[in-house]
Amino acid sequence: MKAEPMSFNPAQTLPPQERLAFILKWSASIIQIMGYTATALGWTPMNLYLFLVGVLGWFAVGVLWNDRAIMLIHIVALGAMLVGMSSS
């Protein structure tokens, strides 16, 4: 009998709300890294759109975790970005 290889997927072993937070935080992080890359390459306004999605994703993670510090920093970042976008 041949043993099947074991695979570990952390997202599959978590309860639904934690699974959603896991997926959101990694997706938002990757999108924000893409925003930093777009900034470095001078791809405006694409960089701002990527940052907006990343910031909103992390704000949602803060809501799911009931983490006010994460919510605060990302709502302030969102406000600053919106003010900056509207003034340019």
Side-chain angles (χ1 to χ4, degrees), residues 28-66:
S29 294
I30 290 167
I31 291 168
Q32 282 191 306
I33 290 168
M34 292 168 61
Y36 293 123
T37 304
T39 300
L41 297 173
W43 294 350
T44 52
M46 179 56 73
N47 61 338
L48 295 174
Y49 301 139
L50 291 167
F51 282 130
L52 283 174
V53 172
V55 164
L56 289 171
W58 268 104
F59 179 78
V61 170
V63 170
L64 288 171
W65 285 351
N66 197 27

Side-chain angles (χ1 to χ4, degrees), residues 2-8:
K2 186 176 178 182
E4 292 188 34
M6 291 182 61
S7 65
F8 177 69

